[in-house]
Amino acid sequence: MFSKILIANRGEIACRVIKTARRLGIKTVAVYSDADRNARHVAMADEAVHIGASAARESYLVADKIIDAAKRTGAQAVHPGYGFLSENAGFAEACANAGIVFIGPPPAAIRAMGSKSEAKKIMEKAKVPLVPGYHGDDQSPELLAKEAGRIGFPVLIKASAGGGGKGMRVVESADKFADALAGAKREAKAAFADDHVLVEKYLTRPRHIEIQVFADSQGGCLYLFERDCSIQRRHQKVIEEAPAPNMDPARRKAMGEAAVAAARAIGYQGAGTVEFIADQDGTFFFMEMNTRLQVEHPVTEAITGQDLVEWQLVVAAGGKMPLGQDQLTIDGHAVEVRLYAEDPARNFLPSTGTLVHLKLPEEDAHVRVDTGVRQGDTVTPFYDPMIAKVIVHDRDRASAMRRMATLMGETEVVGVATNAALLKALCSHPAFVGGEVDTGFIERHRATLFAKATPAGDRAFATATLARLVEWQETRKINGDPWSPWNDHNSFRLLEEGHDEVRWSDGDRDVAVIARHHRDGHLRLDLPGGAQEARVQRTADGRLAVGLGGATFVATVVRRQANDGGFDYTVFADGESRRLRLVDPLDVTQYEATASAETAVRAPLPGKIIDLRVKAGDTVSKGQPLLVLEAMKMEHTLAAPADGKVKSVRYAVGEQVTEGAELVEFE
Ligand code: ADP
């Protein structure tokens, strides 16, 4: 076994690998970019090497720098994690040439599966079932369009070098094919420097079921059952579970054996995943093989009781797999959710910013949390915006989903938008819990999954107001002589009952809450729905214990200064969160900020303009696409917020823009 390894990755996966290495007594070396100088994975490792600038292509994607770091620190092996260089055959070879073990499959196996089209050719030969499609070398738009027609619409265009749903387009009809092809090729070129695509039949209501395989250098090759990863947005996984709902043992065996056949066909070693797309009736087709550890491997670990990173290390060091096929069994049910910094209401747009407040679920016998960030860290535009993976293991699927829904309700994040509410809604959705599982689930159930923007209730206004009052009281205690009458903030006013007024804005509604102070510490709050008696106390862990009317509850309230200088208060209570803006009557800037926002479309995150669809003087209607911004390796189409006339377009195609930059101005 190795005594020191280098982890050529960042974030949660780097932390996760370090954890197993530490348990096995193996020393770890982290690598980091400028942006990650203070990252969690750097703090966790025994040593760390700086490898370059923040952009991945200048750091985590530079093979030479990583190999150099391994040599300098005496690491005997490199764990690539997932993404970055994990499926780069050239990197695996370079490691070998430098005398360093690459913890992954042989370069030839990576190469064989590296291109979705090549992989399909190999699988066709090995008689593994394929989705009908075209995966040839002729890439002329005319031929691809003709093939699409032959396959029959709808079709799916996929980047051959693809991954993470990038460079993928569903095309409903022939007239939309050319545009979609251009978009897919553009995205593929940007993300993978390779615009080769394939076209295949687009299955409606399919399930994504994948098999975890493992092979060692001594002829062993087995499968660790399946994962269902059908719940997706933008063709990217959001929830993964094991075992797959409604899987019968005969089909499990058939899929497992097909996956093992696929792995054997390419002389596989280490951890790999064979992905299948399955029809509702269970018929399955090979999609691709990922020659690395997957993001969702923890659900397999949970139901099998195995540590797959440990298996990887054992196998990479030349050892035999710890167990044989017959010794593997499925225990209970596991589900994983990916908590992303993104805004589901804005088409899952990634959200960047500092995690001012972060409360993830606590780990216990049922709960595992894999994360690469801590409170105070920043989600940057440079890397994947995943905050954490939360994994629940329980006796059955219903129990696991129930537990997960509760955990998502208790998760608190301030500083970036997250999908926590959507994850909660999914795990408690009767159809999903009842076993309706396919890749179109989120789109189909949009109406019930996406919380409608309801006005804030009295509880939220009361809690935020109480937080504000507690803040006043606490600053008074810190800042001054507690005995001075000038510091006594019980709002004593001559000839008047003592009261404070706190004003909030909730969307376009302004609400003033009057708090009247009684002598015994009680308060009476005038709320939109009527007056209520209230009391409040700070708990030892910094939350607020609130009594309101007849009810008592504990809430977290986080105050944060927004980009425009104003203050937002986020209230977490009852498994929900609500953000209110403090209205400061003396501050005029906040009114200006909202007024100008309506006459311009701004960059929601830093990125590059890759397509402009309008010019000055154009008349546009609400929802009409204005431009395409490439950010975080994805294309984001920005649309007109209302009908209007374009006054000016501030940037040209190819230009880099910062977050908040005014892109298109309206008259
Ligand atoms: P990537 O490597 O970018 O993740 P995949 O080939 O694994 O791309 O596909 C990602 C997802 O896209 C799948 O999980 C599935 O939801 C959807 N998908 C892929 N192929 C098809 C298809 N032929 N029909 C319908 N959906 C598909």
Side-chain angles (χ1 to χ4, degrees):
M1 182 48 83
F2 315 110
S3 54
K4 192 193 252 190
I5 63 169
L6 179 142
I7 297 101
N9 215 300
R10 64 176 304 283
E12 65 89 14
I13 191 60
C15 298
R16 189 259 166 275
V17 173
I18 292 171
K19 214 163 152 189
T20 292
R22 167 145 318 143
R23 185 171 59 72
L24 301 175
I26 300 169
K27 292 268 182 228
T28 53
V29 182
V31 290
Y32 63 94
S33 67
D34 287 349
D36 280 339
R37 206 167 279 280
N38 299 311
R40 182 168 185 257
H41 76 279
V42 174
M44 275 179 73
D46 294 303
E47 21 180 342
V49 181
H50 176 248
I51 50 165
S54 303
R57 62 176 184 284
E58 292 175 46
S59 48
Y60 298 106
L61 286 171
V62 186
D64 291 348
K65 290 190 182 178
I66 289 167
I67 290 170
D68 186 52
K71 280 203 219 147
R72 274 196 287 142
T73 54
Q76 300 136 334
V78 170
H79 194 301
Y82 53 74
F84 297 133
L85 294 168
S86 63
E87 293 179 289
N88 184 314
F91 177 64
E93 255 159 17
C95 285
N97 292 340
I100 297 162
V101 176
F102 174 77
I103 303 171
I110 301 179
R111 225 162 245 140
M113 291 294 139
S115 151
K116 288 186 207 278
S117 352
E118 289 308 309
K120 292 203 166 172
K121 287 178 197 160
I122 296 171
M123 290 305 135
E124 206 159 32
K125 268 197 213 127
K127 303 235 169 345
V128 179
L130 297 184
V131 186
Y134 172 79
H135 38 84
D137 294 328
D138 189 337
Q139 292 286 302
S140 70
E142 299 73 34
L143 177 102
L144 292 172
K146 206 174 115 224
E147 286 295 327
R150 179 185 61 80
I151 297 161
F153 289 93
V155 299
L156 184 64
I157 304 174
K158 276 190 197 180
S160 295
K166 286 165 201 142
M168 238 161 66
R169 290 285 189 288
V170 180
V171 195
E172 299 293 342
S173 54
D175 58 317
K176 302 210 172 92
F177 189 81
D179 264 0
L181 180 64
K185 281 195 174 271
R186 210 164 42 221
E187 207 168 291
K189 182 118 203 156
F192 317 109
D194 175 0
D195 68 357
H196 194 283
V197 298
L198 59 93
V199 184
E200 64 186 32
K201 178 90 198 142
Y202 184 67
L203 304 184
T204 45
R205 291 191 80 151
R207 289 173 67 178
H208 173 120
I209 300 178
E210 57 185 35
I211 305 286
Q212 175 72 55
V213 293
F214 234 102
D216 60 28
S217 59
Q218 324 211 353
C221 187
L222 51 74
Y223 62 94
L224 293 100
F225 316 113
E226 77 281 359
R227 296 183 284 259
D228 190 307
C229 313
S230 301
I231 303 299
Q232 307 180 340
R233 53 104 179 83
R234 296 180 147 202
H235 300 295
Q236 271 185 293
K237 299 159 186 167
V238 179
I239 298 187
E240 300 105 340
E241 52 182 317
N246 312 319
M247 174 67 94
D248 74 81
R251 180 148 276 136
R252 170 173 297 132
K253 190 156 184 283
M255 291 181 86
E257 284 169 359
V260 166
R264 284 202 187 276
I266 55 166
Y268 204 74
Q269 271 174 45
T273 295
V274 182
E275 298 192 330
F276 294 101
I277 191 159
D279 253 339
Q280 287 294 318
D281 70 3
T283 322
F284 59 92
F285 308 98
F286 172 82
M287 211 160 29
E288 63 165 344
M289 179 166 183
N290 290 324
T291 53
R292 54 169 162 83
L293 193 68
Q294 301 265 100
V295 176
E296 58 274 22
H297 74 277
V299 292
T300 300
E301 297 187 318
I303 60 157
T304 58
Q306 301 304 307
D307 179 334
L308 297 189
V309 172
E310 180 176 355
W311 281 45
Q312 283 188 298
L313 293 168
V314 168
V315 166
K320 234 172 108 105
M321 284 185 288
L323 296 177
Q325 188 74 63
D326 298 343
Q327 292 165 288
L328 289 164
T329 50
I330 296 177
D331 169 32
H333 197 92
V335 57
E336 169 181 290
V337 297
R338 300 191 190 186
L339 181 68
Y340 276 110
E342 67 180 18
D343 190 350
R346 294 166 76 195
N347 197 20
F348 302 100
L349 192 71
S351 172
T352 56
T354 300
L355 299 163
V356 178
H357 174 82
L358 177 67
K359 185 171 154 275
L360 296 171
E362 266 163 45
E363 295 196 314
D364 62 25
H366 290 285
V367 181
R368 164 174 168 181
V369 178
D370 282 17
T371 183
V373 293
R374 302 147 301 189
Q375 181 165 302
D377 287 353
T378 300
V379 179
T380 70
F382 301 112
Y383 318 112
D384 187 80
M386 190 161 71
I387 299 171
K389 307 187 305 206
V390 178
I391 303 101
V392 159
H393 185 207
D394 221 315
R395 76 171 78 83
D396 53 35
R397 186 168 187 266
S399 314
M401 293 301 169
R402 195 180 326 115
R403 195 183 289 275
M404 186 62 90
T406 303
L407 292 176
M408 285 303 105
E410 292 167 358
T411 297
E412 300 173 356
V413 185
V414 177
V416 295
T418 78
N419 62 343
L422 173 65
L423 295 171
K424 180 185 167 192
L426 279 162
C427 293
S428 50
H429 196 285
F432 178 56
V433 175
E436 183 186 314
V437 183
D438 63 81
T439 61
F441 190 92
I442 292 182
E443 273 314 308
R444 191 165 59 250
H445 292 284
R446 226 163 215 291
T448 43
L449 286 171
F450 288 64
K452 278 170 227 69
T454 51
D458 278 3
R459 226 179 219 220
F461 287 118
T463 310
T465 302
L466 293 170
R468 183 87 178 121
L469 297 177
V470 168
E471 257 169 33
W472 272 334
Q473 199 179 41
E474 288 170 347
T475 18
R476 182 195 66 192
K477 275 195 196 142
I478 296 161
N479 294 343
D481 168 8
W483 307 112
S484 157
W486 304 110
N487 280 327
D488 186 23
H489 194 89
N490 65 1
S491 304
F492 178 75
R493 291 173 202 200
L494 274 178
L495 304 176
E496 200 183 350
E497 193 187 351
H499 76 267
D500 282 307
E501 187 190 70
V502 185
R503 286 171 60 198
W504 302 103
S505 88
D506 169 40
D508 10 346
R509 188 167 64 130
D510 267 17
V511 166
V513 180
I514 312 266
R516 294 178 205 286
H517 302 250
H518 296 311
R519 281 182 195 286
D520 62 354
H522 263 83
L523 291 157
R524 193 180 159 79
L525 300 180
D526 287 343
L527 296 158
Q532 293 204 56
E533 294 298 316
R535 29 160 90 241
V536 62
Q537 203 174 1
R538 180 78 79 188
T539 63
D541 60 358
R543 300 197 288 162
L544 296 178
V546 176
L548 186 69
T552 58
F553 56 95
V554 177
T556 302
V557 181
V558 183
R559 164 190 158 108
R560 173 195 178 228
Q561 186 156 30
N563 291 337
D564 62 9
F567 287 94
D568 288 330
Y569 283 63
T570 309
V571 177
F572 296 96
D574 310 319
E576 279 174 23
S577 73
R578 172 68 70 170
R579 191 166 72 200
L580 299 173
R581 164 59 63 102
L582 181 70
V583 179
D584 180 351
L586 300 177
D587 181 7
V588 290
T589 56
Q590 58 194 344
Y591 301 109
E592 285 165 5
T594 44
S596 80
E598 276 147 26
T599 59
V601 164
R602 291 168 187 278
L605 64 173
K608 190 165 117 187
I609 309 281
I610 54 169
D611 195 14
L612 275 176
R613 305 267 172 85
V614 292
K615 55 183 184 322
D618 284 0
T619 308
V620 295
S621 48
K622 184 177 172 173
Q624 183 180 330
L626 302 173
L627 56 90
V628 183
L629 182 73
E630 187 201 280
M632 299 176 108
K633 294 205 182 135
M634 302 276 287
E635 289 190 2
H636 306 280
T637 302
L638 303 187
D643 295 350
K645 192 167 175 196
V646 176
K647 186 169 166 198
S648 63
V649 177
R650 300 281 178 84
Y651 295 89
V653 170
E655 277 189 274
Q656 203 73 34
V657 297
T658 55
E659 182 178 345
E662 260 186 36
L663 305 177
V664 177
E665 199 190 357
F666 296 98
E667 284 185 357

